[in-house]
Amino acid sequence: MDAKGSDMEIEISQIKPSSFQIKFRNEFLKDKLTQQIKQEGQIIPIVVRFTENGYEVVDGNVRLSIMKDLGYATIDCNIVNIDKVGAMKLAIELNGNVNELDQISI
């Protein structure tokens, strides 16, 4: 597992949402993030892994969705070389400080 990764700009159309999802239910924070991206653009890259079906989000489903809705064609990504279990562990670790975590559905 190589969770360090490399940075790259990828076309949004080449990225699939995570096959597992950490539930994010705080619409107020999502709205704030949308406004921030509208005003300042993307600040933090999303984390993706490469699978046999292309790129899959490990961390950043909400940012990907927002940027897609705002009409962005590309998104800054950190590409990590990890399997699905490693991706799930990394997603939990990266989102561990978020108070609105609900549950993971696989």
Side-chain angles (χ1 to χ4, degrees):
M1 175 171 103
D2 179 12
K4 186 172 185 206
S6 59
D7 293 329
M8 185 173 163
E9 189 173 10
I10 300 174
E11 288 184 29
I12 287 177
S13 63
Q14 294 182 12
I15 304 170
K16 305 291 184 247
S18 178
S19 59
F20 54 92
Q21 176 71 28
I22 294 180
K23 302 290 184 182
F24 187 84
R25 293 192 178 177
N26 191 321
E27 288 300 317
F28 173 75
L29 292 178
K30 183 177 179 182
D31 291 344
K32 279 186 72 172
L33 181 57
T34 300
Q35 291 307 313
Q36 178 266 312
I37 291 172
K38 281 182 181 178
Q39 293 172 2
E40 302 173 36
Q42 181 186 10
I43 295 174
I44 300 171
I46 66 170
V47 179
V48 299
R49 69 186 188 106
F50 192 77
T51 70
E52 63 274 359
N53 299 318
Y55 295 101
E56 178 184 62
V57 175
V58 173
D59 179 58
N61 279 314
V62 174
R63 283 173 280 156
L64 176 67
S65 174
I66 290 169
M67 292 182 71
K68 186 176 183 179
D69 290 347
L70 292 175
Y72 281 78
T74 61
I75 189 167
D76 292 331
C77 300
N78 181 263
I79 305 166
V80 293
N81 183 21
I82 55 179
D83 62 12
K84 184 173 182 174
V85 172
M88 291 171 64
K89 289 178 182 178
L90 183 58
I92 291 168
E93 182 180 324
L94 292 172
N95 287 283
N97 62 343
V98 178
N99 293 327
E100 297 299 323
L101 292 181
D102 185 13
Q103 67 182 38
I104 298 176
S105 52
I106 300 171

